[in-house]
């Protein structure tokens, strides 16, 4: 497509929409929406005075959509949000907004910040977001702020998601909800809230289990949250919130297209791929009015999260012959003469068709304990390992990340006029400290990949000593911000903001083999922002802004940045060449309005990331590689949205055009790219995994006073495979998914509800990545390098909800 055609259609659509809606007669705005415009909600500000796009939802919206979790609600109801089902577990999606990602997976360029009750929810180890830790039934409101707003601190490259949980003053009464569905789904949720005018409580417990629609993919999620609230005179408020989670999720991820065609879309490549999360969170927050124009707000928190992973995979080790000193003598294939040597395992990096002796490095074995060596292991087992070529087939990779964080934040807001003009000034600061204990191991295993077997692995009790990682990390973040909104006149507001970020990362490798991980890294930056919001009349406003934000490289990235020694995510780390922090610079303009039940918006955005960090896939496995700065990347686009409420029907439509490209040429490394390992990326090549076009339609129909129906239509255009940064191969296909939902009130306090996802049972894929299939699937004759994340087939759920 030519450059002129690529940009012409979206620009014309934006102009048409803007012209049409601006021609409406001026009427009185139906209501005023106040948005908490800082991580600590505080006073908040009217939405039409914010110089950027903001999308919001409340508890009623979440309940009406019948979404399983907040990520699913964002997927179907928020503009410019897409999902990559890289893991194929409903609680572990890659959430993307305007081409920026918030994901539980290491290896992705995290570009969104997430806050829960003013506490930063991105994990300290990799800036990842574990969506399974946020019970959707506990959410009172959610705001998605667009752009590189520096007020929200680290990682706000493309946007910030701010979530506030329920309390006993806004949620009185008791509710129980139970549902069953396809693939063994069972969900039970109980919540209760109340107050006596001064003290309030809210508590929720949620249990969810399913077998999973793909083979060997069960999940169990247990979530609980409680809040105690005190409200005094003059608007004083103190809130104590506690949350715990104990979740076990299996998502067996992408699979070769050839395998899905041969064995069905529920089939998996290798297994298990298990993640366990265990969270304990305690926060104390409050606010008080010092006088009529001055509010002080703040919070303190303690957070502990343990994440364990268990991943069964094929092996990138090769058989070799070693002498008595464990020196490599030659490569080995079954039937070769031993010549007085022993069969062992070697790491192999070279050309399989023309191997050199220097391509092999003998493995240093150890037993289950860190201090064991091969000589300490049972002799019979050792003999079996060195004489049985089946042990070369698989690996069992495990990791455990313990993260313990403490922090506090505070802000003061002044509402005093400035030179006779309305003014709102907020000054705030935050500091948090995290201790991280990471360990990982690679155990040799037998891969059960004969025809008809389950492609799981069985560990043999021996480990690769060099692949064992023990890393202790301390992370300190400090931020100081100011934001001021000044009414220049009755219609025009000027907002100016700035934030200073400082991050220190102190890493200590434990044990001689991990000493290269030791290092101390500091990053600091002052990020500014300025914007204007103009209220043209009672139903329409314009806005424009410029903003900057940054993110420091995470401990996971700093420990996996050596091109000469790629690591496995999340299991193996190597020495740490320094990475530069990523700086995002954003421009945004738009228009929005609301008139007689009709709301609309049109906007354009342009964000350039400087020194962007991506994961280079430099190994045979899709998760093996290293992080690197690749210069500039750009994400720009246009957003159009409209919604209309009739007497008993509400309809919303949104469209996004996204142009996400690399702006600096570089060599992309992807060992499984069918055209070759190293490809030349040119300026203007599209960033893989991001669709150019998305279209969403949401409709609700009150058929009768007791019976409601709803529908969601989600279209997503094609995208390049991860590993095809040079845009030389075919794309993952576009798709459209339709969902239906309904609810029926049996009484005023009891209702039935149901939902059908993918009504037309569409076969589709949400993302693709290159991998190596032939070694695992050699008996099936499948050699496909195209791995995809298949979308869920048609499924349904029915349930009952009672309030009392």
């Amino acid at each position: 497509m030519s450059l002129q055609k690529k940009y012409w259609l979206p620009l014309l659509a934006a102009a048409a929409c803007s012209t049409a809606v601006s021609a409406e007669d001026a009427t009185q705005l139906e209501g005023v929406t106040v948005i908490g415009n800082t991580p600590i909600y505080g006073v908040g500000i009217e939405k039409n005075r914010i110089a950027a796009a903001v999308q919001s939802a409340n508890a009623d919206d979440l309940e009406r959509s019948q979404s399983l979790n907040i990520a699913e609600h964002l997927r179907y109801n928020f503009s410019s949000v897409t999902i990559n089902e890289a893991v194929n577990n409903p609680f572990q999606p890659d959430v993307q907004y305007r081409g920026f990602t918030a994901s539980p997976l290491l290896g992705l360029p995290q570009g969104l910040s997430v806050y829960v009750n003013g506490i930063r929810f991105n994990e300290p180890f990799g800036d990842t977001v574990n969506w399974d830790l946020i019970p959707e039934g506990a959410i009172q409101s959610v705001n998605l702020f667009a752009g590189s707003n520096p007020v929200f601190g680290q990682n706000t490259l493309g946007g910030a998601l701010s979530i506030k949980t329920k309390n006993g003053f806004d949620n009185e009464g008791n509710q129980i909800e139970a549902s069953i569905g396809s693939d063994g789904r069972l969900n039970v949720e109980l919540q209760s809230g109340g107050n006596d005018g001064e003290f309030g409580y809210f508590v929720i417990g949620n249990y969810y289990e399913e077998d999973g629609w793909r083979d060997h993919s069960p999940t169990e999620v247990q979530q609980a949250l409680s809040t105690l609230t005190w409200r005094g005179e003059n608007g004083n408020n103190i809130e104590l919130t506690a949350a715990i989670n104990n979740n076990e999720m299996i998502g067996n991820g992408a699979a070769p297209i050839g395998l899905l065609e041969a064995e069905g879309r529920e089939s998996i490549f290798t297994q298990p791929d298990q993640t366990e999360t265990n969270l304990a969170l305690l926060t104390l927050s409050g606010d008080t009015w010092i006088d009529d124009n001055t509010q002080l707000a703040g919070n303190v928190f303690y957070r502990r999260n343990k994440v364990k992973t268990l991943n069964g995979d094929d092996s990138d080790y090769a058989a070799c012959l070693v002498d008595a000193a464990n020196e490599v003598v030659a490569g080995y294939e079954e039937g070769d003469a031993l010549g007085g040597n022993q069969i062992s395992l070697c790491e192999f990096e070279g050309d399989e068709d023309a191997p050199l002796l220097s391509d092999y490095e003998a493995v240093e074995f150890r037993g289950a304990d860190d201090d064991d060596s091969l000589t300490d292991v049972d002799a019979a087992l050792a003999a079996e390992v060195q004489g049985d070529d089946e042990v070369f087939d698989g690996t069992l990779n495990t990791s455990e990340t313990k993260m313990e964080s403490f922090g506090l934040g505070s802000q003061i807001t002044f509402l005093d006029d400035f030179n006779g003009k309305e003014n709102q000034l907020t000054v705030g600061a935050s500091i948090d400290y995290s201790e991280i204990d990471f360990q990982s191991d690679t155990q040799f295993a037998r891969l059960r990949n004969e025809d008809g077997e389950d492609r799981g692995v069985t560990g043999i009790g021996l480990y690769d000593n060099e692949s064992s990682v023990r890393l202790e990390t301390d992370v300190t973040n400090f931020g100081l911000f100011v934001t001021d909104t000044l009414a220049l006149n009755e219609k025009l507001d000027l907002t100016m903001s700035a934030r200073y970020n400082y991050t220190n990362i102190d890493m200590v490798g434990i044990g001689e083999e991990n000493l290269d991980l030791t290092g101390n890294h500091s990053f600091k930056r002052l990020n500014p922002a300025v914007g204007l919001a103009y209220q043209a009349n009672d139903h329409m406003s314009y806005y424009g802004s410029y903003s900057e934000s940054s993110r420091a490289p995470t401990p996971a990235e700093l420990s996996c940045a050596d091109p000469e020694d790629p690591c496995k995510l999340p299991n193996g780390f190597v020495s740490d060449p320094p990475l530069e922090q990523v700086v995002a610079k954003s421009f945004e303009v738009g228009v929005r309005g609301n008139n007689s039940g009709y709301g609309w918006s049109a906007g354009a955005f342009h964000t350039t990331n400087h020194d962007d960090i991506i994961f280079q896939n430099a190994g045979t496995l899709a998760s093996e590689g290293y992080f690197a700065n690749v210069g500039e990347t750009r994400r720009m686009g246009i957003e159009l949205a409209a919604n209309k409420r009739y007497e008993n029907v509400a309809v919303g439509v949104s469209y996004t055009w996204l142009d996400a490209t690399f702006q600096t040429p570089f060599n992309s490394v992807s060992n499984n790219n069918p055209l070759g390992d190293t490809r030349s990326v040119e300026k203007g090549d599209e960033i893989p995994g991001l669709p150019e076009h998305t279209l969403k339609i949401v409709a609700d129909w009150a058929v009768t006073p007791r019976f409601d129906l709803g529908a969601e239509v989600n279209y997503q255009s094609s995208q390049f495979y991860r590993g095809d940064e040079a845009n030389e191969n075919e794309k993952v296909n576009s798709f459209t998914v339709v969902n239906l939902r309904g609810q029926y009130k049996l009484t005023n306090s009891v209702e039935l509800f149901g939902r059908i996802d993918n009504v037309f049972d569409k076969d589709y894929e949400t993302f693709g990545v290159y991998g190596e299939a032939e070694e695992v699937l050699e008996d099936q004759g499948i050699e496909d390098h195209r791995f995809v994340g298949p979308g869920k087939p048609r499924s349904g759920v029915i349930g009952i909800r009672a309030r009392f």
Side-chain angles (χ1 to χ4, degrees):
M1 179 182 291
S2 69
L3 182 65
Q4 290 82 359
K5 289 182 178 179
K6 186 175 184 179
Y7 295 122
W8 179 76
L9 287 174
L11 289 172
L12 180 61
C17 180
S18 179
T19 302
V21 291
S22 62
E24 297 287 341
D25 295 334
T27 60
Q28 181 65 35
L29 197 65
E30 293 185 343
V32 175
T33 302
V34 175
I35 300 293
N37 61 328
T38 62
I40 302 173
Y41 273 59
V43 176
I45 195 168
E46 295 174 19
K47 186 175 182 178
N48 59 12
R49 301 180 67 189
I50 297 177
V54 184
Q55 300 180 71
S56 303
N58 58 32
D60 292 338
D61 297 326
L62 298 176
E63 184 174 279
R64 181 169 52 252
S65 73
Q66 297 182 30
S67 49
L68 177 61
N69 50 50
I70 183 60
E72 185 174 272
H73 182 85
L74 297 173
R75 175 184 187 176
Y76 292 116
N77 295 276
F78 275 38
S79 300
S80 302
V81 175
T82 59
I83 292 289
N84 280 356
E85 295 177 285
V87 177
N88 263 157
N89 186 287
F91 291 91
Q92 296 177 284
D94 301 339
V95 176
Q96 298 174 144
Y97 173 59
R98 290 184 172 181
F100 293 90
T101 302
S103 168
L105 302 181
L106 294 172
L108 295 180
Q110 309 286 342
L112 301 174
S113 61
V114 177
Y115 286 84
V116 177
N117 292 342
I119 306 301
R120 189 169 184 267
F121 220 66
N122 299 75
E123 300 290 356
F125 190 58
D127 281 339
T128 55
V129 178
N130 289 303
W131 299 103
D132 61 293
L133 303 181
I134 307 173
E136 188 187 61
I139 297 175
Q140 178 63 33
S141 65
V142 55
N143 296 314
L144 179 58
F145 294 87
S148 309
N149 188 341
V151 171
F152 285 90
Q154 290 277 4
N155 234 66
T156 313
L157 304 182
L161 186 70
S162 181
I163 295 170
K164 190 171 181 62
T165 59
K166 295 177 178 178
N167 60 56
F169 287 88
D170 300 324
N171 297 272
E172 297 183 76
N174 308 296
Q175 177 176 300
I176 182 170
E177 180 180 305
S179 62
I180 57 174
S182 305
D183 309 307
R185 171 173 169 170
L186 170 66
N187 190 194
V188 179
E189 180 185 273
L190 299 92
Q191 56 179 287
S192 177
N195 69 87
D196 63 3
E198 182 178 8
F199 292 95
Y201 79 95
F202 175 80
V203 62
I204 183 171
N206 182 55
Y207 177 81
Y208 177 92
E209 67 173 36
E210 65 168 33
D211 297 329
W213 72 272
R214 297 185 69 191
D215 295 339
H216 311 291
S217 299
T219 286
E220 183 180 54
V221 172
Q222 301 174 79
Q223 305 165 321
L225 180 143
S226 64
T227 298
L228 297 176
T229 307
W230 172 78
R231 287 187 176 178
E233 298 179 356
N234 302 321
N236 297 327
N237 182 76
I238 297 177
E239 201 159 85
L240 177 66
T241 300
I244 56 173
N245 287 264
N246 186 12
N247 306 330
E248 184 176 314
M249 300 161 291
I250 293 182
N252 284 307
I257 290 179
L259 177 64
L260 300 181
E261 293 174 345
E263 298 186 4
R265 296 177 64 80
E266 70 280 1
S267 61
I268 61 173
F269 182 53
T270 57
Q271 57 103 3
D273 194 344
Q274 178 177 298
T275 301
E276 296 181 15
T277 59
N278 191 306
L279 171 75
L281 173 67
L282 187 66
T283 70
L284 180 66
S285 60
D287 55 71
T288 183
W289 287 93
I290 298 174
D291 57 41
D292 291 343
N293 293 318
T294 308
Q295 188 201 55
L296 178 66
N299 60 44
V300 296
F301 75 92
Y302 167 78
R303 185 171 187 255
R304 187 193 71 233
N305 190 23
K306 182 168 68 174
V307 180
K308 298 175 67 175
T309 68
L310 175 67
N311 174 250
D313 218 323
D314 64 334
S315 174
D316 56 354
Y317 295 90
C320 60
L321 292 178
V322 298
D323 59 20
N326 203 37
E327 296 294 331
V328 180
V329 175
Y332 174 78
E333 292 186 5
E334 189 171 1
D336 286 353
L338 300 184
N341 300 299
Q342 290 184 316
I343 303 172
S344 187
L345 293 177
C346 284
E347 292 188 74
F348 176 78
E349 295 183 5
D351 185 350
E352 293 182 359
D353 295 328
L356 303 173
L357 190 61
S358 59
D359 294 333
Y360 293 89
E361 181 180 351
V363 166
E364 180 184 347
F365 291 99
R366 70 168 178 82
D369 296 327
D370 287 356
D371 296 332
D372 286 348
S373 66
L374 184 60
T375 56
D376 299 317
V377 182
D378 182 83
L381 179 59
E384 176 188 358
V385 170
Q386 295 188 355
D388 186 350
D389 63 352
E390 289 185 7
V391 303
F392 306 146
D393 290 353
T395 56
L396 187 61
N397 303 304
T398 58
S399 74
E400 181 177 87
T401 309
K402 297 178 181 178
M403 296 167 285
E404 194 168 22
S405 303
F406 315 82
L408 60 90
S410 182
Q411 69 181 39
I412 186 168
T413 301
F414 303 95
L415 302 178
D416 302 283
D417 289 352
F418 178 77
N419 284 340
K421 300 181 183 296
E422 182 182 349
N423 190 65
Q424 181 169 320
L425 170 67
T426 300
V427 180
S430 65
I431 185 170
D432 59 76
Y433 171 76
S434 300
E435 294 180 350
I436 305 165
D437 184 0
F438 176 87
Q439 64 180 39
S440 67
D441 294 288
T442 296
Q443 182 182 177
F444 298 105
R446 291 186 176 86
L447 176 63
R448 303 187 295 272
N449 66 328
E450 298 294 329
D451 194 17
E453 290 189 304
D454 63 1
R455 288 187 290 276
V457 297
T458 303
I460 64 170
L462 290 182
Y463 296 76
D464 180 358
N465 193 53
E466 288 192 0
S467 292
S468 295
V469 176
R470 303 293 184 267
L471 177 66
E472 294 181 354
T473 304
D474 295 339
V475 179
T476 303
N477 290 303
F478 172 76
L480 178 65
F481 74 87
V482 58
T483 180
D484 183 77
T485 299
L486 174 66
L488 299 178
N489 56 46
E490 292 183 354
K491 293 188 174 183
L492 183 63
D493 289 294
L494 169 67
T495 297
M496 295 181 292
S497 306
R499 181 179 178 114
Y500 173 76
N501 293 325
Y502 172 80
T503 297
N504 178 261
I505 302 172
D506 186 34
M507 302 188 300
V508 178
I510 307 301
E512 183 177 351
E513 65 276 10
N514 293 306
L515 291 180
D516 286 345
L517 299 178
T518 298
N520 189 282
H521 311 266
S522 293
F523 305 89
K524 56 186 176 182
R525 195 172 196 276
L526 179 65
N527 295 311
V530 61
L532 290 169
Y534 178 69
Q535 188 72 35
N537 51 49
D538 288 341
H539 69 87
M540 183 168 61
S541 63
Y542 299 86
Y543 62 86
S545 64
Y546 171 78
S547 58
E548 296 183 9
S549 190
S550 58
R551 80 168 181 91
T554 67
E557 292 168 335
L558 289 168
S559 302
C560 182
D562 189 350
E564 302 301 320
D565 196 0
C567 63
K568 297 176 184 177
L569 294 177
N571 295 91
F573 296 135
V574 294
S575 58
D576 55 331
L579 294 171
E580 300 295 328
Q581 66 178 327
V582 183
V583 176
K585 300 180 179 181
S586 295
F587 296 90
E588 183 156 353
V589 295
V591 57
R592 58 199 169 202
N594 194 319
N595 181 26
S596 301
Y598 173 56
W600 53 270
S601 63
F605 58 90
H606 181 289
T607 299
T608 300
N609 279 7
H610 299 260
D611 292 317
D612 208 356
I613 297 174
I614 69 167
F615 185 70
Q616 295 269 39
N617 178 216
T620 56
L621 303 178
S623 61
E624 186 175 1
Y626 61 93
F627 293 96
N629 293 111
V630 294
E632 294 184 5
T633 61
R634 186 186 67 194
R635 295 156 179 84
M636 69 178 188
I638 288 173
E639 297 171 327
L640 307 175
N643 60 78
K644 175 66 176 176
R645 179 172 294 278
Y646 301 92
E647 183 175 347
N648 61 344
V649 175
V651 180
V653 181
S654 68
Y655 164 78
T656 299
W657 169 67
L658 174 66
D659 182 51
T661 58
F662 297 103
Q663 293 296 298
T664 301
F666 70 99
N667 288 329
S668 170
V669 180
S670 177
N671 285 355
N672 296 304
N673 189 311
L675 296 181
D677 295 352
T678 303
R679 315 304 303 164
S680 295
V681 178
E682 302 296 334
K683 180 178 180 179
D685 285 342
E686 295 180 29
I687 299 174
L690 302 175
E692 183 178 359
H693 304 282
T694 57
L695 176 67
K696 301 180 182 183
I697 303 173
V698 179
D700 287 283
W701 176 27
V703 182
T704 72
R706 290 186 176 273
F707 181 39
D708 297 329
L709 285 177
E712 301 160 348
V713 180
N714 191 347
Y715 166 78
Q716 184 172 304
S717 66
S718 60
Q719 57 183 278
F720 284 102
Y721 284 74
R722 293 179 190 170
D724 188 19
E725 282 73 15
N727 299 173
E728 299 173 303
N729 302 306
E730 65 179 303
K731 292 183 173 183
V732 178
N733 292 331
S734 62
F735 64 87
T736 301
V737 173
V738 178
N739 307 322
L740 294 177
R741 49 185 161 77
Q743 62 182 29
Y744 181 77
K745 294 183 179 179
L746 295 174
T747 69
N748 290 334
S749 58
V750 180
E751 59 191 27
L752 302 176
F753 62 88
R755 179 182 175 95
I756 302 175
D757 287 328
N758 195 0
V759 172
F760 299 107
D761 205 20
K762 173 78 172 181
D763 287 347
Y764 68 98
E765 293 80 37
T766 61
F767 98 114
V769 65
Y770 292 127
E772 186 177 40
E774 54 265 30
E775 291 188 7
V776 175
L777 301 175
E778 57 184 349
D779 288 351
Q780 292 90 329
I782 297 173
E783 299 182 358
D784 207 326
H785 285 270
R786 300 166 302 162
F787 283 56
V788 294
K792 188 175 184 178
R794 180 168 52 228
S795 62
V797 59
I798 57 172
I800 186 169
R801 182 184 300 119
R803 299 180 176 89
F804 53 96

